[in-house]
């Protein structure tokens, strides 16, 4: 099947670039449309609408977002909520205005309450308070889900949402202050090896559990969901709980994760944990029964994924040391 012309917003990011690779590999579309954010500002409603009117895509994939780790979310909450709200609202509204056939919105597992039961089912959305350190970002993603659902209810559009767990992989961000867990650890442990450091300092206690998904597995899941017919999709997801979790349903302590990364890199020093830094929620693993029941499952093991990610990061070695 062909999805027709597909516009990937955020094509230079880790997720967007992986989705483009998967679209090409599966030969799923007749054309892939991308933009340079310097030419079209997706935070501007008029620019976004005019662009979508001009290119007339059949499908829009919203992988564009302002993202970061605990530190960045805690220090720049206004930036995170504003930029993400503007991008998603403008694209979703433009998609409806131009009668785009289908839209896929990418969210995050941080949308779920801080203390909800584990593993986390889609239905747990909005059943409790959010984790304070990334609440603004989470609220923006919740708004995106509800935008899609609201347009579907009122205008019978075909707007879908996927909620991945923590992502990692080629093209990730290795910035010292706003990277996610795996790239942050890869950078610290790699530098520890290069500099022959006796120990590497890690934020938090290391006693929290997380679930990680290789970005190429997410890309495969996105394409898998887009290929589901509108009729079938409406049969499998509730009208007011239409998002689908994507993950491995496997969790690991951060202390164990650090050891796994050190093993791949070949670092033999010790780890010291800065307990004055925030941990975030103590445990977070997604229930992925819905997408698995449809026939999708991840292909990367965590060890394979770490090896793949570290190998790709070496291409940027001068930038991450």
């Amino acid at each position: 099947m062909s999805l027709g012309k597909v516009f990937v917003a955020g094509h230079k990011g880790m997720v967007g670039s992986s989705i483009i690779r998967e679209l090409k590999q599966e030969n799923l579309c007749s054309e892939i449309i991308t933009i340079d954010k310097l030419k079209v500002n997706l935070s501007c409603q008029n620019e976004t609408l005019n662009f979508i009117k001009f290119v007339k895509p059949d499908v829009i994939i919203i992988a564009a977002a302002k993202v970061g780790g605990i530190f960045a979310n805690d220090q720049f909450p206004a930036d995170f909520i504003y930029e993400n709200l503007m991008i998603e609202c403008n694209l979703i509204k433009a998609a409806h205005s131009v009668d785009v056939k289908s839209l896929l919105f990418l969210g995050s597992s941080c949308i779920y309450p801080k203390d909800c039961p584990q593993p986390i089912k889609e239905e747990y959305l909005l059943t409790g308070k959010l984790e304070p350190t990334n609440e603004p970002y989470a609220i923006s993603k919740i708004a995106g889900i509800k935008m899609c659902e609201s347009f579907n209810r009122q205008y019978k559009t075909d707007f879908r949402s996927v909620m991945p767990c923590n992502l990692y992989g080629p093209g990730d961000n290795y910035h010292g202050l706003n990277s996610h867990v795996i790239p942050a650890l890869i950078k610290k442990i790699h530098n520890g090896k290069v500099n022959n450091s006796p120990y590497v300092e890690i934020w938090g206690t290391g006693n929290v559990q997380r679930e990680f998904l290789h970005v190429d597995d997410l890309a495969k899941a996105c394409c898998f969901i887009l290929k589901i017919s509108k009729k079938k999709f409406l049969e499998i997801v509730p009208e007011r709980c239409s998002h689908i979790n994507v993950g491995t349903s496997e969790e690991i302590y951060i202390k164990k994760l650090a050891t796994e990364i050190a093993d791949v890199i070949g670092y033999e020093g010790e780890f010291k944990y800065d307990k004055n830094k925030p941990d975030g929620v103590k445990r977070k693993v997604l229930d992925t029964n819905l997408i698995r029941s449809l026939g999708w499952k991840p292909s990367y093991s965590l060890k394979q994924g770490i090896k793949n990610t570290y190998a790709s990061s070496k291409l940027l070695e001068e930038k991450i040391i």
Side-chain angles (χ1 to χ4, degrees), residues 16 31 41 45 52 75 86 88 146 175 180 223 235 258 280:
E31 181 182 353
N41 180 4
Q45 187 179 54
I52 298 300
Q75 293 296 308
M86 292 301 100
E88 64 202 31
K146 293 305 175 183
H175 188 278
H180 287 121
C223 292
E235 291 174 352

Side-chain angles (χ1 to χ4, degrees), residues 3-75:
L3 299 174
K5 295 170 62 176
V6 179
F7 168 47
V8 181
H11 70 286
K12 292 184 177 180
M14 176 177 69
V15 174
S17 59
S18 181
I19 289 174
I20 288 175
R21 291 195 299 271
E22 185 64 22
L23 287 169
K24 290 179 178 179
Q25 185 171 323
E26 291 195 35
N27 195 26
L28 272 181
C29 53
S30 59
E31 181 182 353
I32 296 174
I33 302 165
T34 61
I35 57 169
D36 190 318
K37 66 180 179 180
L38 297 178
K39 295 180 180 178
V40 179
N41 180 4
L42 295 177
S43 296
C44 174
Q45 187 179 54
N46 286 337
E47 286 190 37
T48 304
L49 178 59
N50 289 336
F51 172 76
I52 298 300
K53 283 182 177 179
F54 177 73
V55 298
K56 296 179 180 177
D58 297 297
V59 178
I60 293 177
I61 300 175
I62 306 179
K66 182 176 180 60
V67 298
I70 290 177
F71 177 84
N73 273 272
D74 198 41
Q75 293 296 308

